[in-house]
Amino acid sequence: VSQSLDLRDILQSTCRELTAIFEIRNAGIGLLTPDKKNLEIVAFHAASSDEKSALGLVLPVEGNSSSMEVLEKKKTLVIQDAQSDPRTSSIADISRTRGTRSIMIVPLLTRGEAIGTIGMPARDPYHIFTKNEIELAETIASQIAAAVDNAKLHAKTESELGVAERDLEIGRQIQSGFFPETLPEISGWEIATHFHAARQVAGDFYDVFQFRNSTFTAFIIADVCDKG
């Protein structure tokens, strides 16, 4: 979990490991959409290659009592029969299709807020998840949630850095546009210029020009914003 900042890679690897750690048929991680109205399955791994992937499945939170309970109470929920329990009535058809009965739903919590869930249906439909299994799942979930938070912050920082870099490039282009395109040719003189920014964008300026109807030439070197 701590070896990558790629969110998809982290979550997919986690699902794969969960199916090896627990006696479960598959593991699916759902993250709340920005409007918090749906859970999108962003990572999924099944112990059997024959099982159809749920990756990309979008589950409405409203009407899905089990997910709402986990997200609101921020506590793990174990349901013994997802096909008949009223809390999973909205996904009962999916449960029947997949043969899901005993399932553990664990919240992903970061900064005191629920950002998603991990769904883990037992390999044995009549399996009863133990206290140790629940505690282990919650410990793993806390690490995953922290990794998700770090990955999102990293992605946001990278995005903002990209915007800043583009702004700096525009600044460099604007700055270079202030410098003279040509230098006056004065008999007996050789004039050359060189500019190297102290940082990404400098606040320096130079110009060389001749006064009209005059023998005088102006040389300007200006430090617009001081950097010491």
Side-chain angles (χ1 to χ4, degrees):
V1 167
S2 62
Q3 289 178 350
S4 173
L5 284 170
D6 183 284
L7 188 55
R8 299 280 177 177
D9 182 49
I10 291 170
L11 299 182
Q12 195 59 40
S13 297
T14 300
C15 285
R16 188 166 54 249
E17 293 300 324
L18 287 171
T19 58
I21 295 170
F22 295 92
E23 291 294 322
I24 54 176
R25 202 177 68 248
N26 62 58
I29 297 177
L31 294 182
L32 280 171
T33 53
D35 59 10
K36 297 186 178 182
K37 292 183 178 180
N38 299 289
L39 277 169
E40 181 184 358
I41 307 301
V42 296
F44 181 89
H45 181 77
S48 171
S49 58
D50 295 332
E51 185 168 353
K52 185 180 178 182
S53 175
L55 193 65
L57 191 67
V58 177
L59 303 172
V61 173
E62 188 175 351
N64 187 345
S65 301
S66 56
S67 295
M68 288 180 68
E69 183 176 335
V70 171
L71 294 169
E72 289 175 2
K73 293 185 178 181
K74 303 170 187 175
K75 291 184 178 180
T76 298
L77 177 65
V78 174
I79 292 179
Q80 286 307 126
D81 190 351
Q83 297 181 19
S84 61
D85 194 298
R87 292 171 294 181
T88 52
S89 59
S90 63
I91 56 171
D93 290 340
I94 297 174
S95 298
R96 292 189 191 98
T97 301
R98 291 184 169 272
T100 301
R101 286 188 183 276
S102 176
I103 185 171
M104 175 164 54
I105 306 172
V106 188
L108 291 173
L109 305 174
T110 178
R111 303 171 189 266
E113 294 294 325
I115 61 171
T117 62
I118 308 174
M120 296 190 288
R123 194 172 300 170
D124 175 3
Y126 302 101
H127 175 75
I128 297 175
F129 287 100
T130 66
K131 181 182 178 182
N132 286 342
E133 286 178 311
I134 294 170
E135 288 178 352
L136 177 58
E138 290 175 340
T139 300
I140 295 172
S142 66
Q143 293 178 310
I144 297 168
V148 169
D149 196 35
N150 288 339
K152 285 184 174 180
L153 286 173
H154 175 72
K156 183 180 179 182
T157 301
E158 287 289 301
S159 175
E160 291 176 350
L161 184 61
V163 172
E165 285 290 345
R166 287 193 293 273
D167 288 347
L168 285 171
E169 180 56 34
I170 292 171
R172 284 191 284 266
Q173 293 173 5
I174 292 172
Q175 183 181 35
S176 64
F178 291 150
F179 296 136
E181 294 181 5
T182 60
L183 297 173
E185 295 181 4
I186 305 171
S187 178
W189 287 80
E190 289 183 3
I191 304 172
T193 61
H194 173 73
F195 171 76
H196 181 79
R199 297 176 187 168
Q200 290 93 334
V201 175
D204 304 308
F205 177 75
Y206 68 82
D207 199 0
V208 183
F209 60 89
Q210 291 177 291
F211 290 104
R212 292 178 183 175
N213 304 318
S214 172
T215 58
F216 289 105
T217 299
F219 289 80
I220 300 174
I221 301 175
D223 186 5
V224 179
C225 54
D226 179 40
K227 293 184 178 69

